[in-house]
DNA sequence: CTGAAAGCGCTTACAG
DNA sequence: CTGAAAGCGCTTACAG
């Protein structure tokens, strides 16, 4: 079996306490003694037992990162950012919830079991009162147990303390509403008046905020949000975006632009348009959201809204590690910026 | 502070042993007693301390997944597959090594500290004798401590036991060589004779195997691997693929096809060709490798080699959980399949 | 600068 | 079916 600290102590001819002090380097130890301990550690190939340490010291080396989909670069970038700031001595646990409420709760419980040092919940939150309540409760308990919490890309949870010197909860809210508004303003400025919108699932915060931004831009021009026929809700993936677009085109053949709620869906939008023999942007302009790496390589290059996902993740990491303090109210807004590429152009003359 | 098992026992009027038995459901307990315990757990919002449990039972809830880049869908798909099979009660720790040898070793140590139940090392391995030795040593120790190990997408490590009934190490090798050979055969069958190759970093197993496959196809036609000028080594990312292509075009203006060692680089190849005013596939054919989701949406759709990454990850997960046994020799080959899309066509007549 | 000892919160033979 | 007690492998006051 693996060597224990007691084995090391015996071999080095010192007490367990001394070995512990050398290992943690948190107390003066005579240089010669230290050398002997270090040699014994080498010889025995000793690796400290993290569980025993965590139990005795009531600390933890774990950081949890909840994501809706690890295979989606949106979350990969956030997770990568978190890990860039926590990598050295903490283990970042990336938990794949697939967006399912019960898996989200289950992971929070597992993380609480491990007494995680920190947890970041990333991406869209589910707007279902019962679930919000359950999540808030879990997070309250985690925070009470000393776990730092960062909400990254979702709105603050009312009822959870945020900010303050001993704040356990911080929120990094993405400027989804502003980004979406500016993007639709861009389409309007180009001259588009009949704009279809492929929205995400109706019960997610991100879906709602982006849609609100879109509507705000229309309203500012005195345009109604359009009849319901101009808006299609569906899952945040390519296949759904494609299907939604086909339906939209059937309902409203006169569309000159389609805005998708994220880049992945936008690829599906483009695919559907090509199937119908429509050229982008000559016949129909298309926009996405997020500016994921592949968007610059899509054809034509996708006009979208850039969100600094990696940087947001890194900030979340620093907050968790206590390397940076959240503002007094615990709320940071991550800015969004329109990126114009070749998928948008003025509509053709009728 | 959080309630402990002793608190629950006191409240339920039973011993700690009984509470433990109810919680783990591994021993008969009278129904009435069980109910009282469960109620006490509810009332105290008790969550078991995973560290204490792991220490006492010498078990672990952690599974480590080492990846070169979480934000790359190649690894995201593998990680996602692993989690699909381990999600319920195990926590999958996705560790981002950025391909750096020291980070790889550091994470292995952290996982050993936590006495991880299993570890999967995914993607390309570094072919540097000293590093291979160090990794083999770490894995040997992990295996000796009871940790199951799966190498996913890299070749077996000589010196590490694989297979057998109590096997701790299994290898899922990707058919990189065969896939690359078939892909180049496809280009040759189309009539291409001057084919550029954008390879990955020279010191990785995946790079070498794919390049060997490419060369084997050429050799079978009696063609030399071409002068060194037809091959460019660079990092596995888009920007590098673009730069390498520009260099290749300068050195060999007569190229009619360029094969990239992965899809991400292939996007860079396409970008470079467009910059030079060359059409795909009319002027130059392009191929990738991996068939990541975006490849079907690239323009033109990318001819590539499909690797069932998610399924490979899922298999790795089942192996780790002991839900499936590896073959006697511990080695599974994951097949690769050429996917023809629109980025390849016969070369134009000169 | 170092050690003996208690304690972290569980599990698990052992005994009944 | 249930409990008392030892033990898992560390850390940390406390004493010297």
């Amino acid at each position: 079996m693996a060597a224990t600290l007691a084995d090391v102590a015996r071999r080095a001819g010192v007490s367990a306490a001394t070995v512990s002090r050398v290992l943690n380097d948190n107390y003066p130890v005579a240089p010669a003694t230290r050398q002997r301990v270090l040699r014994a550690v080498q010889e025995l190939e000793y690796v400290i037992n993290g569980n025993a340490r965590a139990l005795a010291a009531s600390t933890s080396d774990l950081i949890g990162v909840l994501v809706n989909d690890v295979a989606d670069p949106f979350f990969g970038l956030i997770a990568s950012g978190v890990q860039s700031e926590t990598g050295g001595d903490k283990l970042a646990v990336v938990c794949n919830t697939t967006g399912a409420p019960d898996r989200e709760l289950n992971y929070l419980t597992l993380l609480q079991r491990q007494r995680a040092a920190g947890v970041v919940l990333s991406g869209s939150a589910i707007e279902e009162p019962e679930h919000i309540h359950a999540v808030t409760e879990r997070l309250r308990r985690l925070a009470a147990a000393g776990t730092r919490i960062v909400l990254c890309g979702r709105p603050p949870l009312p009822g959870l303390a945020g900010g303050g010197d001993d704040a356990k909860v911080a929120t990094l809210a993405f400027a989804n509403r502003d980004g979406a508004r500016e993007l639709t303003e861009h389409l309007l400025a180009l001259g588009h008046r009949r704009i279809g919108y492929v929205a995400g699932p109706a019960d997610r915060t991100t879906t709602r905020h982006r849609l609100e931004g879109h509507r705000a831009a229309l309203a500012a021009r005195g345009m109604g949000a359009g009849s319901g026929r101009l808006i299609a809700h569906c899952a945040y993936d390519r296949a759904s975006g494609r299907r939604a677009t086909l339906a939209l085109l059937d309902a409203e053949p006169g569309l000159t632009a389609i805005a998708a709620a994220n880049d992945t869906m936008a690829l599906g939008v483009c695919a559907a348009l090509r199937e119908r023999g429509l050229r982008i942007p000559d016949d129909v302009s298309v926009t996405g959201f997020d500016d994921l790496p592949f968007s610059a390589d899509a054809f034509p290059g996708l006009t979208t809204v850039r969100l600094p996902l990696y940087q947001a993740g890194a900030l979340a990491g620093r907050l968790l590690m206590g390397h940076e303090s959240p503002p007094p109210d615990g709320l940071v807004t991550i800015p969004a910026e329109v990126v114009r590429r070749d998928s948008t152009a003025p509509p053709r003359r009728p």
Side-chain angles (χ1 to χ4, degrees), chain A:
Chain A
M1 281 294 83
T4 77
L5 184 137
D7 297 329
V8 174
R10 203 169 307 120
R11 178 147 195 145
V14 298
S15 72
T18 299
V19 176
S20 174
R21 288 173 189 135
V22 170
L23 259 28
N24 292 296
D25 200 21
N26 57 359
Y27 217 79
V29 174
T33 311
R34 171 184 304 277
Q35 286 317 312
R36 255 183 305 146
V37 170
L38 257 19
R39 185 165 336 116
V41 166
Q42 290 287 323
E43 292 168 348
L44 295 174
E45 299 188 338
Y46 173 69
V47 175
I48 199 169
N49 184 316
N51 289 124
R53 194 234 293 259
L55 176 58
S58 58
T59 59
S60 169
D61 283 345
L62 287 189
I63 296 274
V65 184
L66 267 61
V67 302
N68 287 338
D69 182 4
V70 242
D72 182 336
F74 177 90
F75 294 102
L77 285 166
I78 292 174
S80 182
V82 174
Q83 298 203 325
S84 73
E85 298 287 341
T86 59
D89 24 270
K90 301 284 182 189
L91 263 178
V93 182
V94 177
C95 307
N96 207 212
T97 66
T98 69
D102 56 327
R103 293 199 62 171
E104 184 163 295
L105 294 175
N106 187 39
Y107 271 126
L108 288 176
T109 300
L110 282 174
L111 288 167
Q112 188 174 357
R113 277 191 194 171
Q114 302 301 322
R115 305 299 189 257
V119 173
V120 6
L121 308 196
S122 69
S124 214
I126 298 160
E127 295 196 297
E128 204 271 298
E130 208 171 317
H131 181 64
I132 292 175
H133 179 72
V135 169
T136 305
E137 265 317 300
R138 285 281 201 308
L139 293 184
R140 197 201 306 282
R141 281 185 224 166
L142 273 166
T147 300
R148 285 212 172 90
I149 296 166
V150 177
L151 306 179
C152 181
R154 51 176 70 183
L157 238 20
L160 264 193
D165 258 8
D166 56 347
K168 290 295 175 197
V169 185
T171 302
L172 311 186
F174 293 162
N176 287 316
R177 209 168 318 199
D178 288 349
R181 185 175 41 68
E182 290 170 25
L183 191 56
T184 296
E185 280 168 1
H186 162 64
L187 288 172
L188 290 167
L190 285 172
H192 293 279
R193 290 299 176 269
R194 297 202 67 70
I195 305 173
Y197 190 86
V198 178
D203 60 343
R204 331 284 305 199
T205 51
T206 302
T207 301
R208 182 163 60 77
H209 294 155
R210 292 182 182 179
L211 185 49
E212 285 172 3
H214 172 67
R215 288 191 151 124
L218 294 176
R221 291 259 180 166
M223 296 166 65
S227 66
R229 291 183 324 195
L230 285 177
I231 296 172
H233 281 279
C234 62
Y236 272 122
D237 59 51
R238 179 180 184 275
S240 303
R242 178 184 154 277
R243 278 193 304 270
T245 301
L246 294 175
L248 235 33
L249 289 172
D250 288 339
E252 286 285 339
L255 291 178
T256 63
I258 298 181
N262 79 4
D263 288 355
T264 306
M265 289 168 143
L267 293 184
V269 172
C270 292
L273 291 171
R274 275 195 285 269
E275 284 175 40
R276 288 286 167 95
L278 295 165
R279 289 165 305 164
I280 308 163
D282 314 63
D283 298 316
V284 180
S285 286
V286 176
T287 62
F289 206 112
D290 294 338
D291 194 26
L292 297 186
F294 61 72
S295 303
D297 289 302
F299 182 81
L302 198 61
T303 292
T304 184
V305 174
R306 174 158 179 67
L307 238 27
L309 299 168
Y310 180 88
Q311 291 83 343
L315 174 54
R318 269 176 272 128
L319 255 17
L320 286 188
M321 300 295 285
H323 293 339
E324 187 167 331
S325 298
D329 62 353
L331 180 62
V332 177
T333 298
I334 305 294
E337 180 197 4
V338 172
V339 177
R340 301 181 187 195
R341 295 207 181 91
D342 304 323
S343 67
T344 48
R348 283 190 306 173
R349 291 291 164 73

